[in-house]
Amino acid sequence: METADPRNSVPPGRVAPFYGFVAAVAVLALLVSAGPLIELPGRLAGLPVAFWTMAALAVVCDARPFVPPGRRQSSAVFPSTCFTFAILLGWGLGPAVAVQTIAVVVSGWRMGHSAWRSGFNAAQYACALAAAAAVTGLGPGGIFEGGHLGWSDVLAVGGAAAAWFVVNYGLVSTAIRWRFGGRWWPGFRSGLGYELISTGSLLLLAPVLVTAARASAALIPLVLVPLFAVYRMAHLAAEQEQLGALDPLTGLPNRKALLAEVAEQVHLHAERAARGEPDAHLALLLIDLDRFKNVNDALGHAVGDRLLVEVSARLAGAVGERDLLARLGGDEFAIVSTGLTGVDAARETAERLVGALAEPVELDGLPLDVGGSIGIALYPEHGEDFATLMRHADVAMYDAKQRSDTVAVYAAESDHNSAERLGLLADLRRVLEAGPAGRDDGRGAAGVRGGDGAALSAALAPAVAGRGGAGRSTGGSARWGARRHRERSGPAHPDELIQRIVTAADPIRRRAAATDTGPEQPADTGPEQPADTGPEQPAEPGGGGATEADPGTGPGAGAAYAEPTGRRPGPDEPGNPGEITMYYQPQVAIATGEVVGVEALLRWRHPRRGMVDPEELIRVAEQSAVMRLLTRRVVDDVVEQLAKWSAAGISLRAALNVSVRDLHTGEIADQIADRLARFGVRPERLQLEITEGALMADPRRVLATISRLHAIGVAIALDDFGTGYSSMQHLRRLPLSEVKVDRSFVLGMADDADDAAIVRSMIELAGALGLRVVAEGVEDERTWRLLHAAGCDVAQGWFYARPMPAEELAAWLARYRPLRPAAREAESRPPRAR
């Protein structure tokens, strides 16, 4: 069972040195005060009334010491210090030690101190009084033995007070050091200012008290008036502080009180941890009510306030006696749960709170259903101070809301606003504000740099123009959003090896990789080509060179579509560290094998982190104004690259996928129109991809922006088709030219009859509406053939080519030979539906 004051116990392993120090102080106190105490009985009869008055006041006042608000019990102020120091100055060491010892015993009994603690306090005061007596003995004689006080007497009194303070405070600080460990000086310095003000004031009041006693003992009680005034003012200040720490609506503690409680409990639980106790954990639980805004909007704030009062009463009944329930404001509450053994105990507390909110609250006969989302942060695992615990509990609470759960414990991978990500956002802003290296006026021809900064050789233009697949391009899409593809086996570049190590060590990036790229489809982090290891299309050894089709499977039998191995730029090469670049993945017409477009993927090689995961990059940018800079940069790069490809004889259409923020403002339409005119690119060569989620965010404003882009001549494609909302309504109302079937359906259609049926249905629906269909995530030949049989127009994925920089794409197009599917019924037949 927990004692009345945790300071009555000593941590294991420190018992011997601590009690040894206490014994040494006690022996020293006996040595310095034994003589005066032995002489005291013979002096009692001659002591004046003034002495007895001071002695009585010292004992009575210490029976109720003053504990300042917001401080621990160990910071209590004992008025006996004033009276015992005055007794020392007036009647010597023996009477002062005796009175101080009695006052310590009385105050220790009142405050529940253990015997060793009261004994140490009495010993430390005896040593302090002995040091003060030694300093007064250096003076010219008895300080208050008749006559006027001189400067030497005043100096002796000041020196005695300083000696008392140094010895007393030094012994206490050393005892804390021996008891809890750690460095001595930080502990000594932390409480020095408070002790100088409180104890120093009492010491300096003692000479005034002795001077009054010389005139008349009746003047001594008058010192209680200023002491009581100070005491009363302190209590009034404490009461005001308590009122300032309460929520006026519910009467619960507020954020200020919560902060003080967490600071106090962190200190106490640190002591428990030092003692090796199992219940050394505390939890900060943050509760946010669900649907409270609906109540305010529908029934008014008066009903909302009554609801908060009722909810606070329910929560108060669900928390433990040792726990603190606070209202932070609005519909947010917080609970400090102490003495826990771990996260399971914190979850039990959270489940009790969930149960308290499960039943509807009835107000004026109307049942109001308000649940809550609870986030948990545990000390010391998730933080060791209020600010950290509060932020992590807030992260966990929002994580619970996003997962439609009631309780969530803080996890580092859920913290999207960590210091690392804030630093990444700052780096991204600097990269975007610096602009791309080597950008020209956008009117370049063959031989100039492309949109990714790579030089485009003029020698490629004739070869590329002579290819039927690339030269007669009629459509395609480019996307700068994050895509993930299966990686080919093969030796990894040293930078890639470092990147994998960093990902494994970083819980945020590790979770992102595990969530977004399952074992069937790892994240695409660079040019390395993953292998299509299905039985229909074995990969060529080496994993990065040409891949050959299975001989004898149709008109394209034996035709190789080569992919350049390329070399990743080193992090120290000019223009590469911290540079935003665009990688391009071809899109191929399934029926003819012609390349009809590319998809652009955003890439950022960070100077310290290596290749930043694209999904993380977008997630970092989209919640800030940096997204606007990123969109401008991508539009500029892609439109400029289209102009340079056109100058090299490559005619491709590209599509951009912008954020919801861009579609809301409508500024993107003006920007695209300006860039098309500046670089001399025809509008029909640009396509904008939007997601259904972006449409649902604000359909009216998004539709207005899309209509403006359509009027300019920019084509509109619906991306991730089948994963959003109200698809039929959007297909009917929007000026669409293309839909993209999400890779989550395409990847499984070769083995899953349901996925295959869904893909076929989407292709038939889009075809009936006159829309072109693009399938993403085509990874193997069987999926390619099934899409052809279903009537899909265009496909993209690792079956054809990996994403690559603009220069490598031009070389790939020069070597590409169209691959057409074989018209074999057996291999084209879809799997039978269940």
Side-chain angles (χ1 to χ4, degrees):
M1 179 179 294
E2 188 176 347
T3 58
D5 188 342
R7 287 184 174 271
N8 286 334
S9 59
V10 180
R14 310 200 67 84
V15 174
F18 175 72
Y19 282 123
F21 176 75
V22 171
V25 173
V27 171
L28 179 62
L30 288 175
L31 291 177
V32 298
S33 61
L37 289 175
I38 292 174
E39 299 174 356
L40 180 61
R43 298 180 55 194
L44 290 178
L47 292 175
V49 176
F51 163 78
W52 296 106
T53 304
M54 290 185 187
L57 292 175
V59 175
V60 171
C61 290
D62 265 19
R64 192 179 179 185
F66 172 66
V67 180
R71 288 188 170 270
R72 297 185 296 275
Q73 197 182 56
S74 59
S75 300
V77 178
F78 297 94
S80 64
T81 300
C82 172
F83 297 105
T84 56
F85 190 63
I87 292 173
L88 172 70
L89 296 177
W91 297 281
L93 179 61
V97 171
V99 173
Q100 185 69 75
T101 301
I102 296 173
V104 167
V105 172
V106 172
S107 64
W109 170 71
R110 289 276 297 176
M111 301 180 71
H113 291 172
S114 60
W116 69 260
R117 187 172 177 185
S118 295
F120 175 76
N121 289 342
Q124 81 186 39
Y125 282 126
C127 293
L129 289 169
V135 174
T136 59
L138 300 177
I143 296 178
F144 293 100
E145 296 177 358
H148 296 284
L149 294 179
W151 285 108
S152 59
D153 297 319
V154 174
L155 291 175
V157 171
W164 188 102
F165 181 86
V166 169
V167 172
N168 183 77
Y169 189 67
L171 289 175
V172 172
S173 300
T174 305
I176 294 175
R177 162 67 178 82
W178 280 109
R179 187 166 168 233
F180 297 110
R183 293 187 300 168
W184 178 82
W185 173 246
F188 180 90
R189 184 179 56 185
S190 63
L192 183 60
Y194 170 76
E195 292 294 336
L196 279 173
I197 294 175
S198 58
T199 307
S201 300
L202 294 173
L203 291 173
L204 296 179
L205 184 60
V208 179
L209 185 59
V210 177
T211 303
R214 290 177 58 190
S216 173
L219 296 176
I220 295 176
L222 296 179
V223 76
L224 295 178
V225 176
L227 285 178
F228 177 77
V230 173
Y231 178 80
R232 185 57 185 165
M233 290 177 63
H235 265 283
L236 288 175
E239 291 176 2
Q240 291 294 326
E241 182 137 357
Q242 288 178 352
L243 290 176
L246 293 179
D247 174 56
L249 177 63
T250 62
L252 296 176
N254 59 14
R255 182 183 292 268
K256 184 178 181 181
L258 180 69
L259 190 155
E261 177 69 11
V262 171
E264 173 71 10
Q265 292 297 332
V266 163
H267 177 84
L268 295 178
H269 283 71
E271 293 180 358
R272 292 180 183 178
R275 295 193 295 267
E277 297 180 7
D279 58 345
H281 299 269
L282 72 87
L284 180 62
L285 290 79
L286 191 62
I287 306 174
D288 185 81
L289 300 182
D290 299 331
R291 299 174 294 278
F292 177 74
K293 184 178 183 299
N294 298 339
V295 174
N296 264 348
D297 294 343
L299 304 178
H301 289 276
V303 176
D305 289 346
R306 292 171 57 195
L307 178 62
L308 289 175
V309 173
E310 179 63 27
V311 167
S312 65
R314 288 193 179 188
L315 294 176
V319 300
E321 295 181 356
R322 298 180 301 175
D323 300 341
L324 175 73
L325 170 65
R327 181 189 175 215
L328 303 181
D331 60 343
E332 280 194 339
F333 296 83
I335 294 166
V336 182
S337 186
T338 59
L340 304 179
T341 56
V343 68
D344 292 337
R347 281 190 173 275
E348 291 178 4
T349 302
E351 293 300 333
R352 290 201 307 270
L353 299 172
V354 171
L357 298 176
E359 291 295 325
V361 178
E362 188 168 330
L363 296 178
D364 299 331
L366 179 65
L368 302 176
D369 186 13
V370 287
S373 300
I374 303 177
I376 301 174
L378 207 66
Y379 168 89
E381 287 85 348
H382 304 147
E384 298 183 353
D385 57 79
F386 173 79
T388 305
L389 290 171
M390 190 68 181
R391 190 177 71 82
H392 288 171
D394 192 61
V395 169
M397 185 266 291
Y398 278 105
D399 188 32
K401 280 189 177 294
Q402 291 175 358
R403 294 190 287 108
S404 298
D405 202 351
T406 53
V407 180
V409 180
Y410 172 77
E413 56 266 26
S414 300
D415 192 353
H416 301 315
N417 296 311
S418 63
E420 179 186 3
R421 294 202 173 186
L422 292 177
L424 192 65
L425 181 63
D427 291 341
L428 178 59
R429 176 182 288 274
R430 284 194 291 269
V431 169
L432 294 172
E433 289 177 345
R439 166 161 285 172
D440 57 19
D441 61 0
R443 307 283 180 177
V448 299
R449 292 190 176 273
D452 65 340
L456 181 62
S457 174
L460 294 175
V464 173
R467 298 290 181 184
R472 297 189 303 270
S473 175
T474 60
S477 68
R479 175 181 175 90
W480 54 269
R483 298 288 184 194
R484 283 166 172 78
H485 304 278
R486 189 179 304 164
E487 293 184 358
R488 291 192 186 274
S489 59
H493 190 278
D495 286 350
E496 285 302 306
L497 181 59
I498 295 174
Q499 187 70 7
R500 293 174 188 174
I501 296 173
V502 172
T503 301
D506 188 340
I508 297 176
R509 301 185 67 175
R510 185 170 63 250
R511 181 176 181 272
T515 303
D516 297 331
T517 61
E520 302 277 328
Q521 187 181 0
D524 170 30
T525 55
E528 286 76 20
Q529 172 80 2
D532 293 321
T533 56
E536 290 91 341
Q537 186 179 357
E540 178 181 342
T547 305
E548 296 185 359
D550 188 10
T553 58
Y561 43 104
E563 302 183 23
T565 57
R567 182 184 64 85
R568 246 184 222 281
D572 297 327
E573 293 182 15
N576 285 303
E579 279 295 314
I580 294 290
T581 60
M582 301 301 296
Y583 277 53
Y584 299 89
Q585 184 176 33
Q587 291 184 321
V588 179
I590 298 178
T592 65
E594 296 180 359
V595 179
V596 294
V598 292
E599 179 183 16
L601 304 175
L602 184 65
R603 294 292 183 265
W604 177 26
R605 181 176 290 277
H606 192 273
R608 295 181 303 276
R609 296 183 46 161
M611 191 68 78
V612 177
D613 178 61
E615 192 72 38
E616 182 180 6
L617 192 159
I618 299 301
R619 189 164 50 239
V620 166
E622 66 183 354
Q623 299 300 327
S624 70
V626 174
M627 195 70 205
R628 182 180 179 184
L629 297 176
L630 186 60
T631 299
R632 285 180 173 272
R633 174 66 174 274
V634 170
V635 169
D636 290 349
D637 281 1
V638 173
V639 175
E640 180 182 4
Q641 188 62 62
L642 285 173
K644 293 176 180 178
W645 275 335
S646 179
I650 303 174
S651 297
L652 295 173
R653 186 172 67 178
L656 298 178
N657 191 317
V658 295
S659 72
V660 178
R661 295 168 64 100
D662 298 309
L663 295 175
H664 283 177
T665 62
E667 183 182 345
I668 185 67
D670 297 330
Q671 181 188 358
I672 289 179
D674 175 75
R675 298 307 186 270
L676 291 174
R678 176 186 303 179
F679 290 101
V681 176
R682 296 191 306 275
E684 59 270 19
R685 294 193 52 204
L686 195 64
Q687 181 169 283
L688 178 70
E689 292 186 2
I690 60 175
T691 63
E692 294 182 71
L695 288 174
M696 292 302 295
D698 192 336
R700 180 174 300 179
R701 287 198 290 178
V702 171
L703 183 58
T705 302
I706 292 174
S707 299
R708 291 183 58 194
L709 289 165
H710 179 69
I712 294 171
V714 176
I716 306 296
L718 186 63
D719 195 18
D720 299 336
F721 181 55
T723 62
Y725 318 89
S726 306
S727 299
M728 301 305 103
Q729 181 181 5
H730 294 159
L731 288 175
R732 181 173 56 87
R733 294 175 54 191
L734 296 177
L736 299 176
S737 60
E738 176 180 291
V739 293
K740 302 190 72 175
V741 181
D742 187 70
R743 66 187 339 100
S744 61
F745 300 112
V746 176
L747 285 172
M749 66 179 300
D751 302 313
D752 190 294
D754 293 337
D755 284 349
I758 292 173
V759 172
R760 289 197 305 272
S761 299
M762 289 189 286
I763 293 173
E764 291 173 2
L765 174 63
L769 295 173
L771 302 177
R772 184 172 55 252
V773 181
V774 177
E776 302 176 297
V778 180
E779 304 292 336
D780 52 55
E781 185 178 354
R782 180 164 175 77
T783 302
W784 171 59
R785 295 185 183 280
L786 289 173
L787 289 169
H788 175 258
C792 184
D793 300 301
V794 180
Q796 68 179 86
W798 288 109
F799 176 74
Y800 289 108
R802 58 171 175 79
M804 61 194 82
E807 180 183 13
E808 294 187 17
L809 178 67
W812 181 88
L813 289 171
R815 293 191 296 270
Y816 174 77
R817 283 177 288 175
L819 180 66
R820 299 174 177 84
R824 296 199 307 180
E825 180 65 21
E827 294 194 16
S828 299
R829 184 178 299 115
R832 179 173 300 174
R834 293 194 297 270

